Amino acid sequence: MIVRRGLRMWVWLDHVGLVLFDAALSTGLFLSVVVLTMLVCRQPSRRLLLVRSALVASLAMVPLVAVVPLPRLDLMAIFLQADLLPPSSVIDTSAGNRPVAEQSSPVRKARSIVTAFQGDYASWAGRWLARTLTLIVLAVAATGAAWLLLGYWGVHWLLRRSQEPSAAARAVYEGLGAREANRRTRPILRVSSRVQRPVLVGIVRTTILIPASYDHPAGSAEFLKLSLLHEIAHAEQSDPWFGTVASLAQSVWFFLPHVWWLRSQLMIDQEFMADNSAAQRYGTSSGYAASLLSLADSRPSSSANERRQIQSKMWSSAEGPGVPSPLFQRMLMLLYCPFRVEPRPPRRW
């Protein structure tokens, strides 16, 4: 019974490995087309639609390949038939040119045993190589899913320990004038002393967490207004939901560089579209950008060293001193965008 269960487990693992390989091959080809399309598309709203659809499709590729009755591409079987695996080529079984004394020694007996085991050993090595890779992919995907669950547990822990905002902060929030269609799904405003900046959390029911310094009576209402406009725009675009999808896709297809690049582009375009929406509600793009920079530089809690760090981070990224940071790119798009930004993609998209 134990042996039968073990055989069933290995058969199941081999089937999962074939499904994962076919899904990875299909996903890699599909995302390559998406990346090429993203390179020639300059509208952030269209790029967002492309990358979001691509990430959702990459997650749906595994169940789709498992359900659709198509022939499997067994790469290990192809390697074995082509004699490409190292074990079948490194084992030397020739003994015709060896001395007679060596042929009658125990070495000859060992070589005869290896000769009889050579064909099975190549097949065994090929199967276990595929099984090992399958187990690695499953382990990394499970670790990524567990990390996401841990993050959402931490979010609920923060929400349970958050507080109601003051009347002044609530008045600023209610006076922003959200769209009528989105009033029912408008995020909840809470105050937490454990966050350093406003952040939008949650998927089903989103919540904006603001630091306690933003809720202080002596705090700047203008800075709170700018931050809330930005987070409301994120909520209206369903950015937390697609951020979770991107994290799951990166956990499953961690070995595909397409997913890492698409996720980074998703974050940049989401931030720019949130800035663009907040700037339109605030007034003008130049006024929004200038207010952000001036308020960030004039915060009483920031020292001169911190202000220099903010300026250096804005002008250069971690990739190198000559590479502009995503924040600097967003500011350039707000102030010097060479084309009209679409608030949403056309219906044909």
Side-chain angles (χ1 to χ4, degrees):
M1 183 65 67
I2 298 178
V3 175
R4 185 177 301 177
R5 290 181 179 177
L7 291 177
R8 289 179 180 177
M9 182 184 66
W10 296 126
V11 170
W12 176 84
L13 186 63
D14 292 339
H15 177 71
V16 171
L18 293 177
V19 171
L20 283 177
F21 175 77
D22 288 350
L25 181 61
S26 303
T27 304
L29 294 176
F30 170 67
L31 293 184
S32 298
V33 177
V34 174
V35 169
L36 293 177
T37 309
M38 291 274 293
L39 292 177
V40 298
C41 181
R42 63 179 185 176
Q43 281 290 344
S45 60
R46 302 183 185 188
R47 289 165 54 89
L48 274 179
L49 182 59
L50 281 174
V51 68
R52 288 174 171 181
S53 304
L55 292 175
V56 173
S58 68
L59 290 178
M61 198 70 72
V62 176
L64 181 64
V65 171
V67 172
V68 176
L70 293 177
R72 305 297 179 200
L73 181 59
D74 193 348
L75 186 62
M76 290 304 164
I78 297 175
F79 282 173
L80 290 174
Q81 293 176 3
D83 199 17
L84 296 177
L85 288 178
S88 60
S89 60
V90 300
I91 300 178
D92 184 14
T93 59
S94 61
N97 299 327
R98 299 184 183 279
V100 179
E102 183 178 350
Q103 294 181 9
S104 59
S105 62
V107 178
R108 179 186 177 186
K109 298 179 180 180
R111 292 183 183 279
S112 63
I113 296 175
V114 171
T115 302
F117 187 62
Q118 180 183 7
D120 294 337
Y121 181 73
S123 178
W124 175 86
R127 287 196 305 268
W128 276 102
L129 178 59
R131 291 170 181 173
T132 302
L133 294 177
T134 303
L135 289 174
I136 291 175
V137 173
L138 293 177
V140 174
T143 303
W147 186 257
L148 278 178
L149 291 177
L150 181 62
Y152 283 110
W153 176 86
V155 167
H156 286 292
W157 184 84
L158 282 176
L159 292 177
R160 288 195 302 267
R161 287 160 176 79
S162 61
Q163 302 172 357
E164 290 287 340
S166 63
R170 187 180 295 106
V172 172
Y173 184 56
E174 295 296 335
L176 294 179
R179 300 168 185 170
E180 295 296 332
N182 296 325
R183 281 190 178 275
R184 294 183 179 180
T185 59
R186 197 175 192 184
I188 303 173
L189 183 63
R190 302 285 293 182
V191 179
S192 175
S193 59
R194 294 177 173 84
V195 295
Q196 301 298 324
R197 60 181 180 84
V199 60
L200 180 69
V201 296
I203 297 180
V204 179
R205 193 68 176 98
T206 55
T207 303
I208 298 178
L209 288 177
I210 61 173
S213 58
Y214 284 47
D215 193 45
H216 197 271
S220 175
E222 195 70 14
F223 193 45
L224 177 62
K225 177 182 177 181
L226 292 175
S227 303
L228 291 178
L229 284 174
H230 185 87
E231 301 305 328
I232 290 174
H234 276 305
E236 292 177 350
Q237 296 171 179
S238 302
D239 290 344
W241 194 88
F242 287 104
T244 303
V245 171
S247 299
L248 284 175
Q250 192 176 29
S251 300
V252 175
W253 306 119
F254 65 94
F255 49 89
L256 294 178
H258 315 68
V259 180
W260 294 77
W261 185 81
L262 289 175
R263 186 172 184 266
S264 65
Q265 297 302 308
L266 173 71
M267 297 174 64
I268 294 176
D269 290 334
Q270 282 182 348
E271 292 296 329
F272 171 72
M273 290 303 296
D275 285 336
N276 185 67
S277 177
Q280 291 179 359
R281 297 182 183 182
Y282 182 77
T284 61
S285 299
S286 58
Y288 176 81
S291 298
L292 275 182
L293 294 179
S294 62
L295 288 173
D297 189 66
S298 62
R299 282 181 300 172
S301 60
S302 60
S303 60
N305 188 24
E306 291 177 347
R307 290 196 294 268
R308 285 193 297 268
Q309 291 178 0
I310 293 174
Q311 294 173 359
S312 63
K313 287 181 181 180
M314 179 176 175
W315 284 96
S316 62
S317 66
E319 298 177 359
V323 180
S325 67
L327 178 59
F328 183 64
Q329 295 175 14
R330 287 161 48 196
M331 289 297 174
L332 283 180
M333 287 289 290
L334 280 173
L335 299 176
Y336 306 106
C337 186
F339 54 88
R340 185 182 65 85
V341 179
E342 298 174 349
R344 60 184 59 85
R347 292 181 62 88
R348 66 178 182 271
W349 276 72

